[in-house]
Amino acid sequence: MNNWIARDECTIWHPFTPLRGMESPLMIERAEGVNLYTPEGKRIIDAISSWWVNIHGHGNSYLAEAIAEQAHKLEHVIFAGFTHEPAIKLAERLLEILPDNQAKIFFSDNGSTAVEVAIKMAFQYFYNQGVTKKRIIAIDGAYHGDTFGAMSVGERGPFTEPFDPYLFQVDFLDFPAGNNDQSVWENFERLVLSGDVAAFIYEPIAQGASGMRMYDQNLLDRMIDLAQKHEVICIADEVMTGFGRTGELFAADLLNTNPDIICLSKGLTGGALAMGVTSCTQKIQDAYQSNDLMKTFFHGHSFTGNPMTCAVANASLDLLLTDECTANRERINQRHLEFKKQIENHQLVRNPRVLGTIIAFELNTERDTSYFNEARHHLYPYFIEKGVLLRPLGNVIYLIPPYVISDEELGYIYQTILNFLEEYNSLILNKKL
Ligand SMILES: *Cc1c(COP(=O)(O)O)cnc(C)c1O
């Protein structure tokens, strides 16, 4: 009965994974720090924080104890009509570190639900005031999650194609890549001035899933400023950028403007348990302050505000707010910048970029139509074999490591990437791909 992989394949449908033609999944038995271990004892460095969620390392005993302690006291209670200390503390602490204008915390279960809540909150904000505004603006390449509302405001492509007829209409701006910023601005201005726009949703400064693409923060500031002057609700999806990823606690800290609504998840619990948070300003919640039952925000999930999850989020904040964690993020940023210099002029490297603890670059696939076409399928097993978990997005190789990663571990990953670039460079030369 120990043929785990066969048993997995019989029973489990994995996320983002074709049911045929894929390598078998890897068993992981335990993890410590940045290292994942298979039952055979193979070590794999988690260079992408297990889908960007882990910030303090795996098997963190401070987080584990927070969960265990809370589990013995109160594991869960319905969150309508009831409340508890871990949730109240977490809400207070989040409001303390979020931009000053944020006033209320709504709990849900993951990044997608945090986005759903944000969109519904914005639409009903207008509904409650008897205002009809139908349009919503998003940015090309956006990823906001896999539920229907979140899919609607995200990039339409092969992943969403089966559902396209069921997604609501959204005005997509071109991605502001620098050379087109002026036309993006003009398009945005035209839409906002139409008076029919309810909300603008965006991943601030860096888009994650589209390939860690970064754009001008001054442009974003101007957009938010214009939107707010015209009663367009600005929804910052900080699910990826939140909790120190950009170096600062939130991407909002790098901007001069403050959003009306913020979506959080991923790093919120240090990556230990699933939770989403949507925060909003006083102005948003004022539209719900009424004795009219119809103005209630009728949304909630069974596990809203789960006490164990709140407890581990509080513990994660304890760690996040230490000087040590700040220093670690600065250190990773420095190492990334040094590595960027090292690869900048490599002929296989295009557009290397660093934001806080994130580094990304594109593999130059122009000279090769046969091999690198499916770059990801070749890159992923190459790095796993070398003991590094990287999950390239198309031809974008990126690192988004837990903040506890050591210089030595980072050095090993950088060196593995350098080796890869050399090996494939010579492969291209020899085979004249
Ligand atoms: C991952 C992600 C989401 C979706 O979060 P899930 O927890 O996977 O549902 C939403 N927005 C952004 C920016 C993300 O990176």
mmCIF file of all heavy atoms in Angstrom, residues 209-226:
data_model
loop_
_atom_site.group_PDB
_atom_site.id
_atom_site.type_symbol
_atom_site.label_atom_id
_atom_site.label_comp_id
_atom_site.label_asym_id
_atom_site.label_seq_id
_atom_site.Cartn_x
_atom_site.Cartn_y
_atom_site.Cartn_z
ATOM 1 N N ALA A 209 1.552 36.738 -12.203
ATOM 2 C CA ALA A 209 1.397 35.582 -13.083
ATOM 3 C C ALA A 209 1.716 35.873 -14.545
ATOM 4 O O ALA A 209 2.039 34.961 -15.309
ATOM 5 C CB ALA A 209 -0.010 35.011 -12.948
ATOM 6 N N SER A 210 1.634 37.141 -14.954
ATOM 7 C CA SER A 210 1.942 37.436 -16.357
ATOM 8 C C SER A 210 3.447 37.379 -16.601
ATOM 9 O O SER A 210 3.903 37.612 -17.716
ATOM 10 C CB SER A 210 1.396 38.804 -16.756
ATOM 11 O OG SER A 210 2.214 39.833 -16.250
ATOM 12 N N GLY A 211 4.218 37.099 -15.546
ATOM 13 C CA GLY A 211 5.662 36.950 -15.714
ATOM 14 C C GLY A 211 6.464 37.979 -14.942
ATOM 15 O O GLY A 211 7.501 38.461 -15.401
ATOM 16 N N MET A 212 6.004 38.312 -13.742
ATOM 17 C CA MET A 212 6.719 39.279 -12.890
ATOM 18 C C MET A 212 7.070 40.517 -13.712
ATOM 19 O O MET A 212 8.215 40.949 -13.782
ATOM 20 C CB MET A 212 7.989 38.652 -12.292
ATOM 21 C CG MET A 212 7.727 37.452 -11.420
ATOM 22 S SD MET A 212 6.751 37.890 -9.944
ATOM 23 C CE MET A 212 6.091 36.287 -9.497
ATOM 24 N N ARG A 213 6.032 41.066 -14.368
ATOM 25 C CA ARG A 213 6.239 42.265 -15.187
ATOM 26 C C ARG A 213 6.056 43.510 -14.332
ATOM 27 O O ARG A 213 5.084 43.638 -13.601
ATOM 28 C CB ARG A 213 5.223 42.296 -16.335
ATOM 29 C CG ARG A 213 5.462 41.191 -17.348
ATOM 30 C CD ARG A 213 4.761 41.499 -18.642
ATOM 31 N NE ARG A 213 3.305 41.503 -18.487
ATOM 32 C CZ ARG A 213 2.475 41.789 -19.490
ATOM 33 N NH1 ARG A 213 2.935 42.139 -20.674
ATOM 34 N NH2 ARG A 213 1.171 41.745 -19.298
ATOM 35 N N MET A 214 7.012 44.419 -14.442
ATOM 36 C CA MET A 214 6.955 45.604 -13.596
ATOM 37 C C MET A 214 6.660 46.837 -14.437
ATOM 38 O O MET A 214 7.051 46.915 -15.593
ATOM 39 C CB MET A 214 8.289 45.747 -12.870
ATOM 40 C CG MET A 214 8.479 44.582 -11.888
ATOM 41 S SD MET A 214 10.172 44.240 -11.467
ATOM 42 C CE MET A 214 10.019 42.573 -10.774
ATOM 43 N N TYR A 215 5.949 47.779 -13.865
ATOM 44 C CA TYR A 215 5.611 48.993 -14.618
ATOM 45 C C TYR A 215 5.769 50.230 -13.747
ATOM 46 O O TYR A 215 5.954 50.135 -12.526
ATOM 47 C CB TYR A 215 4.219 48.883 -15.243
ATOM 48 C CG TYR A 215 3.058 48.714 -14.287
ATOM 49 C CD1 TYR A 215 2.290 49.806 -13.906
ATOM 50 C CD2 TYR A 215 2.722 47.463 -13.767
ATOM 51 C CE1 TYR A 215 1.210 49.662 -13.042
ATOM 52 C CE2 TYR A 215 1.650 47.317 -12.907
ATOM 53 C CZ TYR A 215 0.900 48.416 -12.544
ATOM 54 O OH TYR A 215 -0.168 48.267 -11.688
ATOM 55 N N ASP A 216 5.683 51.381 -14.407
ATOM 56 C CA ASP A 216 6.038 52.652 -13.779
ATOM 57 C C ASP A 216 5.088 53.028 -12.636
ATOM 58 O O ASP A 216 3.888 53.184 -12.844
ATOM 59 C CB ASP A 216 6.031 53.743 -14.860
ATOM 60 C CG ASP A 216 6.448 55.085 -14.289
ATOM 61 O OD1 ASP A 216 7.186 55.100 -13.277
ATOM 62 O OD2 ASP A 216 6.030 56.116 -14.845
ATOM 63 N N GLN A 217 5.643 53.199 -11.445
ATOM 64 C CA GLN A 217 4.798 53.515 -10.303
ATOM 65 C C GLN A 217 4.255 54.937 -10.341
ATOM 66 O O GLN A 217 3.193 55.215 -9.771
ATOM 67 C CB GLN A 217 5.533 53.252 -8.988
ATOM 68 C CG GLN A 217 6.818 54.008 -8.802
ATOM 69 C CD GLN A 217 7.642 53.338 -7.702
ATOM 70 O OE1 GLN A 217 8.158 52.236 -7.865
ATOM 71 N NE2 GLN A 217 7.750 54.013 -6.589
ATOM 72 N N ASN A 218 4.968 55.841 -11.053
ATOM 73 C CA ASN A 218 4.438 57.207 -11.177
ATOM 74 C C ASN A 218 3.178 57.216 -12.032
ATOM 75 O O ASN A 218 2.225 57.932 -11.744
ATOM 76 C CB ASN A 218 5.482 58.140 -11.799
ATOM 77 C CG ASN A 218 6.676 58.292 -10.873
ATOM 78 O OD1 ASN A 218 6.503 58.376 -9.655
ATOM 79 N ND2 ASN A 218 7.871 58.288 -11.439
ATOM 80 N N LEU A 219 3.207 56.406 -13.077
ATOM 81 C CA LEU A 219 2.015 56.289 -13.918
ATOM 82 C C LEU A 219 0.846 55.764 -13.087
ATOM 83 O O LEU A 219 -0.267 56.297 -13.139
ATOM 84 C CB LEU A 219 2.291 55.352 -15.107
ATOM 85 C CG LEU A 219 1.083 55.046 -15.996
ATOM 86 C CD1 LEU A 219 0.608 56.291 -16.734
ATOM 87 C CD2 LEU A 219 1.403 53.931 -16.999
ATOM 88 N N LEU A 220 1.113 54.721 -12.292
ATOM 89 C CA LEU A 220 0.053 54.143 -11.466
ATOM 90 C C LEU A 220 -0.490 55.177 -10.481
ATOM 91 O O LEU A 220 -1.705 55.293 -10.292
ATOM 92 C CB LEU A 220 0.566 52.894 -10.733
ATOM 93 C CG LEU A 220 -0.456 52.178 -9.854
ATOM 94 C CD1 LEU A 220 -1.672 51.736 -10.660
ATOM 95 C CD2 LEU A 220 0.163 50.980 -9.151
ATOM 96 N N ASP A 221 0.408 55.946 -9.876
ATOM 97 C CA ASP A 221 -0.015 57.007 -8.957
ATOM 98 C C ASP A 221 -0.959 57.985 -9.648
ATOM 99 O O ASP A 221 -1.991 58.373 -9.100
ATOM 100 C CB ASP A 221 1.211 57.775 -8.441
ATOM 101 C CG ASP A 221 1.634 57.313 -7.047
ATOM 102 O OD1 ASP A 221 0.753 56.864 -6.286
ATOM 103 O OD2 ASP A 221 2.834 57.409 -6.728
ATOM 104 N N ARG A 222 -0.585 58.378 -10.862
ATOM 105 C CA ARG A 222 -1.425 59.337 -11.606
ATOM 106 C C ARG A 222 -2.787 58.731 -11.924
ATOM 107 O O ARG A 222 -3.810 59.396 -11.860
ATOM 108 C CB ARG A 222 -0.727 59.750 -12.914
ATOM 109 C CG ARG A 222 0.403 60.761 -12.704
ATOM 110 C CD ARG A 222 1.260 60.907 -13.951
ATOM 111 N NE ARG A 222 0.513 61.359 -15.111
ATOM 112 C CZ ARG A 222 0.799 61.026 -16.377
ATOM 113 N NH1 ARG A 222 1.818 60.220 -16.639
ATOM 114 N NH2 ARG A 222 0.080 61.484 -17.377
ATOM 115 N N MET A 223 -2.779 57.432 -12.265
ATOM 116 C CA MET A 223 -4.041 56.760 -12.592
ATOM 117 C C MET A 223 -4.956 56.696 -11.371
ATOM 118 O O MET A 223 -6.153 57.000 -11.453
ATOM 119 C CB MET A 223 -3.757 55.348 -13.133
ATOM 120 C CG MET A 223 -3.106 55.353 -14.512
ATOM 121 S SD MET A 223 -2.354 53.760 -14.930
ATOM 122 C CE MET A 223 -3.766 52.885 -15.564
ATOM 123 N N ILE A 224 -4.392 56.305 -10.237
ATOM 124 C CA ILE A 224 -5.196 56.190 -9.013
ATOM 125 C C ILE A 224 -5.760 57.560 -8.633
ATOM 126 O O ILE A 224 -6.936 57.710 -8.290
ATOM 127 C CB ILE A 224 -4.348 55.597 -7.856
ATOM 128 C CG1 ILE A 224 -3.953 54.156 -8.184
ATOM 129 C CG2 ILE A 224 -5.105 55.674 -6.533
ATOM 130 C CD1 ILE A 224 -2.900 53.564 -7.258
ATOM 131 N N ASP A 225 -4.903 58.575 -8.760
ATOM 132 C CA ASP A 225 -5.308 59.934 -8.418
ATOM 133 C C ASP A 225 -6.483 60.385 -9.287
ATOM 134 O O ASP A 225 -7.499 60.886 -8.776
ATOM 135 C CB ASP A 225 -4.092 60.851 -8.595
ATOM 136 C CG ASP A 225 -4.357 62.224 -8.029
ATOM 137 O OD1 ASP A 225 -4.862 62.291 -6.893
ATOM 138 O OD2 ASP A 225 -4.077 63.223 -8.727
ATOM 139 N N LEU A 226 -6.354 60.167 -10.579
ATOM 140 C CA LEU A 226 -7.425 60.570 -11.505
ATOM 141 C C LEU A 226 -8.710 59.795 -11.209
ATOM 142 O O LEU A 226 -9.811 60.357 -11.145
ATOM 143 C CB LEU A 226 -7.001 60.329 -12.960
ATOM 144 C CG LEU A 226 -8.048 60.739 -13.995
ATOM 145 C CD1 LEU A 226 -8.011 62.247 -14.226
ATOM 146 C CD2 LEU A 226 -7.865 59.991 -15.313
#
